[in-house]
Amino acid sequence: MLSNIAKLCAKRRLLYSLILGGFAGLFLTLGRAWEFGGSLKWMGIGSLLRIVAYSVLFTALNYVLLSKITIREKNTFNKEEIFSRRWFFIFWLGIFLCWIPVFLAYYPTIWAYDVGDQVPVIRGNVVTNHHPLLHTLYLETVVRIGSKPGDYELGMTLLSLTQMLGLSGMFSYGIEYTRRWGSGKWCRAILFCFFAFLPFNSILSISMTKDVLFSGCWMVCSLKLYDMIDNPEMFFHSKKKLISFAAFLCIMLSLRSNAVYAFVAAAVLGIFVLQRNWRKQFALLCLAGLFLYGGFQSCLFHIMKAEKGYSQEAFCIPMQCLVGTAIRHQELIPEYGTGQLLMEVIPRDWFTENLESSYDPHLVDPVKMRWWLIGRDEFAPVHLIKVWISYGMKYPADYLDIWGTLTLGAWYPFDETHARIYDNYEPERQGYLLTDYRNVPEMAMERPASKWPGLERIYEKVATENVHQRIPVISLLFAPATYCWIMFFALFLALYQRRYQELLPLGMLFLYWGTVLLGPTVVVRYLYPVMVTMPFILCRLTIRRYQPIE
């Protein structure tokens, strides 16, 4: 009897290892083909052999990992392992102080990415919901409090310090929260070092892009979902826990619209995977959070007198596929100057005469900006989708090449293009992380001198010169796709160990990752939620107090 059970478990482990190993082999081979050739047509027998070799290697690795990683007994808490406020504040202060040198190096802040467009009131422009209204309100409120016309240095200093405090506090909460899972001192020390010393955390802590605070809120919401899974009775009977979850959920959803789609889909999944007697409470909690988010957004829209922004952002993939296919098949391109439509959807003359100069295989923005010339009321998304599907039936291989090349950084750990996205447009300070300082003429803003220029030059080696990509193994710590691979493994591990409830936080993260694959490009800030959440999940998977599955 026991021998039969052992054989069945071994077969099941082998099956999961084969599936995961097959995906690894496929991803590595496709990624290499798209990175160096931009097309799968160059793949031959050597590529097939490479898929088999990688698959065998990773199948063996996964088999060993699945047999070694163990599972915790249900709801085993000790009083000594409850959240410690003392250590929470120690971690909080420690991370914040470790970030201070980077703040001095990039003093007063990193005003990069889309932030220059998020100060419309100060600039005298109309507010739109193209950027998150909550984040826009945060930026403008803090800048106004600490500034005077023509001098925004103090306001930007306050922005950096408040964001550093908020983000370090959320990371510290996560580190201390792992104590409930039975994490040891070494585990918490490693997590502390990860957040305190890895350059992408400290640099992003003073970068005013919306993705930074969004990522912190995502991580907190994920941990609260684990709290609900581990002890649903305590969670649903605690007003403090419910209010805290709803508040972080509302802020998280307010900072990124694609998070709404991921959360709604994950909530539906949660209704099926949670314990039957808690499904109703979870559904009501999700509805309450969504209603709170909707009401909050309506209030912000009214208070800030905002207008609707462009909706073209959601159709990046169809735009890129149509233009990319036309470039690959020159017979589809109408003659320049004739006023004809390109691919039946947009005037050919809105692009440059050499269509290729209006196209970047790793960034949709050059193509997307042409669609912005179409008025909001004239834009026809249904027609665009119909045309996209019709050409996709004729040129499926080209569509796959275009999409794969665009999304490499999200699933291929050896990809380097995610750190060179903006090289052709703004070569200065445009690498792994954007650290440029976008001057805004209407605000008479010019960057003050660095308080620690020597340290700034050192950090620029990573942020702009991408020096980490030349160091084997270390480069994987900086690659967003590495954390996505850990996420894939965690999903398969939850399925293998039949911990289906844990598919809720993991599935929500996976669904968010899926929305990134439909976006305009792959850069670190888009995948930062995965990069800051997976270390905690990895900790949960590997703590010693777990009991063997068999």
Side-chain angles (χ1 to χ4, degrees):
M1 180 69 176
L2 292 176
S3 62
N4 291 335
I5 294 175
K7 289 179 181 179
L8 183 62
C9 290
K11 288 181 180 179
R12 189 165 176 271
R13 187 185 307 145
L14 180 60
L15 175 63
Y16 276 84
S17 300
L18 280 169
I19 296 173
L20 195 55
F23 276 121
L26 188 64
F27 283 1
L28 289 174
T29 306
L30 293 179
R32 188 175 186 274
W34 277 322
E35 183 177 28
F36 295 106
S39 176
L40 298 184
K41 66 181 181 180
W42 305 110
M43 293 180 64
I45 188 66
S47 298
L48 294 178
L49 291 175
R50 192 176 291 112
I51 291 176
V52 172
Y54 283 138
S55 298
V56 171
L57 174 64
F58 279 94
T59 296
L61 177 62
N62 292 325
Y63 190 86
V64 172
L65 289 174
L66 290 178
S67 63
K68 295 296 182 182
I69 294 181
T70 52
I71 187 169
R72 184 186 61 188
E73 291 181 336
K74 184 178 178 182
N75 294 338
T76 53
F77 288 90
N78 292 328
K79 291 184 178 179
E80 294 80 10
E81 294 169 350
I82 301 300
F83 191 92
S84 168
R85 291 187 179 182
R86 174 173 170 266
W87 277 105
F88 163 70
F89 283 110
I90 291 174
F91 288 135
W92 190 357
L93 180 63
I95 294 176
F96 181 80
L97 291 178
C98 288
W99 289 349
I100 289 293
V102 182
F103 162 68
L104 296 175
Y106 288 100
Y107 178 85
T109 191
I110 296 177
W111 196 258
Y113 297 105
D114 301 326
V115 181
D117 298 325
Q118 285 188 255
V119 285
V121 172
I122 296 177
R123 298 178 64 179
N125 296 339
V126 176
V127 179
T128 72
N129 64 352
H130 178 72
H131 298 290
L133 294 177
L134 176 61
H135 193 250
T136 300
L137 182 63
Y138 162 67
L139 291 177
E140 293 203 351
T141 301
V142 178
V143 167
R144 282 181 178 276
I145 289 174
S147 305
K148 57 185 178 181
D151 183 6
Y152 297 91
E153 181 176 339
L154 178 58
M156 291 186 169
T157 300
L158 288 176
L159 276 175
S160 291
L161 293 176
T162 53
Q163 180 165 287
M164 289 166 63
L165 280 170
L167 191 64
S168 59
M170 288 186 279
F171 290 160
S172 303
Y173 169 83
I175 295 171
E176 184 53 29
Y177 185 86
T178 62
R179 188 188 297 267
R180 297 186 179 185
W181 298 338
S183 65
K185 294 178 181 178
W186 280 107
C187 179
R188 295 194 293 277
I190 292 172
L191 287 172
F192 173 83
C193 292
F194 176 89
F195 291 108
F197 299 118
L198 274 182
F200 58 77
N201 289 315
S202 51
I203 293 175
L204 284 174
S205 73
I206 56 171
S207 179
M208 290 301 111
T209 176
K210 55 186 173 286
D211 302 274
V212 176
L213 291 175
F214 165 72
S215 300
C217 291
W218 185 287
M219 180 271 296
V220 173
C221 284
S222 297
L223 294 182
K224 290 185 178 297
L225 286 175
Y226 278 115
D227 189 17
M228 179 189 70
I229 292 168
D230 288 337
N231 201 326
E233 185 172 1
M234 180 185 296
F235 182 88
F236 284 110
H237 287 88
S238 170
K239 292 182 179 179
K240 181 180 177 181
K241 290 179 180 290
L242 293 174
I243 293 173
S244 174
F245 175 77
F248 274 99
L249 177 64
C250 180
I251 296 171
M252 181 189 81
L253 299 180
S254 298
L255 291 174
R256 263 214 168 273
S257 57
N258 52 341
V260 180
Y261 310 130
F263 174 74
V264 171
V268 175
L269 173 66
I271 292 173
F272 290 98
V273 300
L274 290 177
Q275 296 178 27
R276 188 178 299 274
N277 52 325
W278 298 111
R279 292 175 181 175
K280 182 178 179 180
Q281 289 89 330
F282 175 71
L284 291 174
L285 177 61
C286 291
L287 286 174
L290 290 171
F291 276 118
L292 179 63
Y293 158 72
F296 186 54
Q297 287 297 103
S298 297
C299 291
L300 286 177
F301 205 87
H302 176 73
I303 293 171
M304 300 177 70
K305 300 179 181 178
E307 296 182 0
K308 288 186 177 180
Y310 288 104
S311 59
Q312 283 90 326
E313 191 83 21
F315 301 92
C316 289
I317 296 298
M319 296 173 188
Q320 186 82 343
C321 286
L322 288 172
V323 177
T325 301
I327 291 173
R328 288 164 175 253
H329 301 274
Q330 294 290 314
E331 68 275 9
L332 298 175
I333 305 177
E335 186 178 348
Y336 187 77
T338 60
Q340 299 182 60
L341 292 178
L342 175 66
M343 305 296 278
E344 306 176 33
V345 288
I346 190 168
R348 165 70 180 91
D349 297 345
W350 286 5
F351 295 84
T352 55
E353 186 171 357
N354 178 13
L355 187 60
E356 291 189 30
S357 64
S358 300
Y359 177 83
D360 186 327
H362 303 292
L363 179 66
V364 178
D365 287 10
V367 168
K368 182 178 64 178
M369 286 189 293
R370 269 64 186 184
W371 257 270
W372 281 356
L373 298 174
I374 302 176
R376 190 174 61 207
D377 297 332
E378 289 75 28
F379 178 61
V382 175
H383 176 63
L384 173 63
I385 294 298
K386 287 181 178 179
V387 173
W388 174 58
I389 293 174
S390 67
Y391 278 98
M393 300 293 288
K394 300 175 184 177
Y395 306 100
D398 295 293
Y399 272 30
L400 184 60
D401 285 340
I402 292 165
W403 174 82
T405 304
L406 181 68
T407 61
L408 266 177
W411 51 268
Y412 181 53
F414 301 106
D415 167 68
E416 296 183 357
T417 61
H418 68 275
R420 294 176 170 83
I421 293 296
Y422 302 103
D423 279 0
N424 296 328
Y425 310 98
E426 300 171 74
E428 294 184 1
R429 293 180 177 265
Q430 309 289 321
Y432 178 73
L433 296 170
L434 271 62
T435 57
D436 61 330
Y437 190 90
R438 303 274 177 94
N439 291 328
V440 181
E442 294 86 344
M443 296 174 63
M445 286 174 19
E446 291 186 4
R447 185 185 179 189
S450 168
K451 303 296 184 183
W452 197 338
L455 184 62
E456 182 185 18
R457 287 192 293 270
I458 293 174
Y459 271 83
E460 280 300 293
K461 296 288 185 182
V462 171
T464 299
E465 299 178 25
N466 305 326
V467 69
H468 57 278
Q469 292 185 335
R470 306 170 205 160
I471 308 173
V473 181
I474 296 296
S475 62
L476 295 177
L477 275 175
F478 291 80
T482 299
Y483 301 87
C484 298
W485 275 44
I486 298 173
M487 175 184 68
F488 303 149
F489 179 79
L491 278 166
F492 271 81
L493 183 66
L495 289 169
Y496 169 68
Q497 295 180 338
R498 295 188 175 92
R499 290 188 287 165
Y500 299 120
Q501 293 185 86
E502 299 205 6
L503 292 176
L504 175 56
L506 284 168
M508 187 171 74
L509 194 61
F510 178 81
L511 289 164
Y512 170 78
W513 173 80
T515 66
V516 175
L517 299 184
L518 302 176
T521 189
V522 174
V523 289
V524 171
R525 70 183 181 110
Y526 290 162
L527 289 170
Y528 197 47
V530 182
M531 297 173 73
V532 300
T533 303
M534 285 316 302
F536 295 105
I537 296 177
L538 187 61
C539 170
R540 181 180 174 92
L541 296 175
T542 56
I543 56 178
R544 291 175 300 178
R545 202 180 61 180
Y546 280 24
Q547 299 298 321
I549 186 173
E550 298 173 12

